[in-house]
Amino acid sequence: AERVFDAALAENVDFVVLAGDLLDSRRTGPRGPLFLVEQFERLAQRDIRVYWAGGQIDPPEAWPPSMRLPKNVFLFAGGEPEQRVHRRADTAVARLIGASRLPQGRIKPQAFDPEHSGVFSIAVAHGRADIESIKASRVDYWALGGHHSRRTLCESMPTAHEPGSPQGRWPEEAGPHGYTLVDV
């Protein structure tokens, strides 16, 4: 997992998008959240924002209340998608529309349509969605979580991709894992 943050720093990314199931703090104990905060702080030192949609095992309410997230981290709430505009200096470079774990794990793509057009839009969510509904949406890129193996659901506009987890979590989860670097 640390290599994901190392790559973000090496590539000097504008921001990092996390689509859920980063860690189960009930299983990791305090070490897991502490590790994440340390990585987020590394990004903060370089003014790199983090946009995080919690998943099934890491919804916002599961984050330990005694461990404050750094100011560069925006954790999307559950329920209705929220919109945030990411800026480079005074210029809007992306509109992120995200929601943490949705009811029944179903993503309703129409709820993620951007409020305004003209800025590249990224939907961030954890769960299952109908591919035809994603294709009909006005979102440019779907950053999806919920599947531990890497897979691309749509390659043309819009693109919908699940990068998977940084490593397999069980012996039967062989194959490519890691992260995805997106250049727009």
Side-chain angles (χ1 to χ4, degrees), residues 7-180:
L9 291 165
E11 294 290 335
N12 197 30
V13 300
D14 283 315
F15 54 88
V16 171
V17 174
L18 303 170
D21 286 355
L22 297 179
L23 70 106
D24 184 343
S25 61
R26 295 168 299 182
R27 290 187 174 180
T28 65
R31 288 181 48 190
L34 181 59
F35 168 80
L36 268 183
V37 167
E38 289 170 352
Q39 300 311 307
F40 294 155
E41 287 173 346
R42 290 176 61 206
L43 297 176
Q45 290 172 0
R46 296 269 295 280
D47 204 24
I48 298 173
R49 301 267 313 166
V50 177
Y51 299 95
W52 178 12
Q56 182 175 352
I57 65 170
D58 62 354
E61 62 272 11
W63 185 257
S66 61
M67 192 156 306
R68 297 178 60 92
L69 288 170
K71 291 182 181 185
N72 65 319
V73 178
F74 180 79
L75 180 55
F76 290 103
E80 290 300 311
E82 300 174 74
Q83 297 197 26
R84 291 282 188 240
V85 175
H86 182 83
R87 298 182 181 282
R88 186 182 310 130
D90 290 333
T91 305
V93 295
R95 178 179 307 281
L96 293 103
I97 307 124
S100 287
R101 183 73 176 172
L102 299 162
Q104 290 83 42
R106 299 292 307 162
I107 298 169
K108 296 178 182 170
Q110 65 276 14
F112 287 80
D113 277 347
E115 291 174 358
H116 307 286
S117 60
V119 176
F120 190 82
S121 59
I122 302 168
V124 186
H126 181 283
R128 298 175 312 278
D130 172 64
I131 297 304
E132 294 308 313
S133 296
I134 284 177
K135 289 179 179 177
S137 74
R138 295 185 302 143
V139 171
D140 297 306
Y141 184 88
W142 286 82
L144 300 171
H147 200 267
H148 293 173
S149 297
R150 172 186 301 270
R151 64 184 184 165
T152 300
L153 305 172
C154 301
E155 290 188 25
S156 59
M157 289 300 262
T159 299
H161 183 68
E162 291 180 329
S165 59
Q167 65 185 40
R169 295 186 179 176
W170 296 279
E172 59 272 6
E173 288 187 347
H177 285 84
Y179 59 90
T180 301

